[in-house]
Amino acid sequence: DVCTLRAWFDLIDQDSSGTIEKQEWLDFLRDNPRLDRILIRGQQGEAFSPRPSKDSLEAFLQGKDDAAQIKRRLKTWREIDKDGSGTLDWEEFIDFFRRTGNFLEVDPQSPRYRLYELGRQMKEDPGRVSDEEVAEYKALASKHLSASQRASLAPEVAQMLSQQQQQGPGPS
């Protein structure tokens, strides 16, 4: 759903620029082989076998397979980066998932969508977020996100939640 995709986008966007650069994309997929396998190959399961010894035929074949994986990642990058800017914005990222059938649209009236909207606002314009909205986000997150999803919140969102918890709800 959109919350999961937003969490992935924020994880990949290491510099929190609001866009994903090619190197961020490649590094993320390299460091997350299971997701790499799902996104690039459309498969699930274990992504890689153990590394063979350096001087074996298996090592040569593994190196050849690694090169093919990088080539697939770059091909996917070119497909996603529709405007050819060299970066992915949120719309390009989510459009990729729509086109591949890996995106579940969420009803705008659902709590998870409200959670997404509040999280986006906290990340993009934290000065306009009221204490009540932070408290609403916290309540929705505890009810609708798993512990691992809550742990992977964008730094800006986690910081706002932490500040609100330390200060307690106050006037807006």
Side-chain angles (χ1 to χ4, degrees):
D1 67 12
V2 73
C3 292
T4 301
L5 292 181
R6 189 69 210 198
W8 286 352
F9 185 88
D10 291 342
L11 282 172
I12 298 170
D13 180 19
Q14 290 292 305
D15 62 3
S16 298
S17 65
T19 61
I20 298 171
E21 287 78 32
K22 187 188 299 185
Q23 194 59 54
E24 289 175 320
W25 169 258
L26 294 172
D27 291 346
F28 182 81
L29 292 178
R30 182 196 63 229
D31 296 341
N32 295 277
R34 187 164 179 247
L35 187 58
D36 176 54
R37 190 171 179 103
I38 292 168
L39 292 178
I40 306 303
R41 301 181 194 186
Q43 302 170 0
Q44 293 189 13
E46 292 303 314
F48 300 106
S49 57
R51 288 273 182 202
S53 65
K54 284 184 177 181
D55 298 326
S56 68
L57 175 61
E58 292 84 16
F60 171 76
L61 294 174
Q62 182 67 49
K64 194 172 175 181
D65 185 53
D66 289 349
Q69 288 178 30
I70 292 169
K71 191 174 181 178
R72 281 191 294 271
R73 290 174 190 148
L74 290 171
K75 180 181 181 218
T76 301
W77 173 266
R78 287 187 298 274
E79 292 171 5
I80 297 173
D81 184 19
K82 288 291 191 186
D83 63 6
S85 66
T87 61
L88 300 181
D89 61 26
W90 171 245
E91 289 305 316
E92 288 172 311
F93 186 76
I94 203 165
D95 185 55
F96 167 72
F97 287 92
R98 282 187 183 113
R99 283 183 315 196
T100 59
N102 291 315
F103 176 60
L104 173 64
E105 296 282 347
V106 177
D107 176 3
Q109 302 302 316
S110 75
R112 285 186 67 90
Y113 189 80
R114 176 69 177 150
L115 191 60
Y116 155 72
E117 285 294 324
L118 287 168
R120 185 177 58 77
Q121 184 179 349
M122 286 179 194
K123 183 172 171 58
E124 294 175 4
D125 195 6
R128 296 189 62 208
V129 178
S130 70
D131 288 342
E132 288 80 15
E133 288 170 319
V134 172
E136 179 186 5
Y137 184 93
K138 189 174 181 179
L140 288 169
S142 67
K143 186 173 182 179
H144 297 283
L145 297 179
S146 68
S148 64
Q149 288 172 318
R150 289 190 307 271
S152 69
L153 292 174
E156 298 86 351
V157 174
Q159 181 180 6
M160 288 188 83
L161 293 175
S162 174
Q163 288 173 350
Q164 196 261 354
Q165 185 173 0
Q166 291 170 1
Q167 297 171 352
S172 297

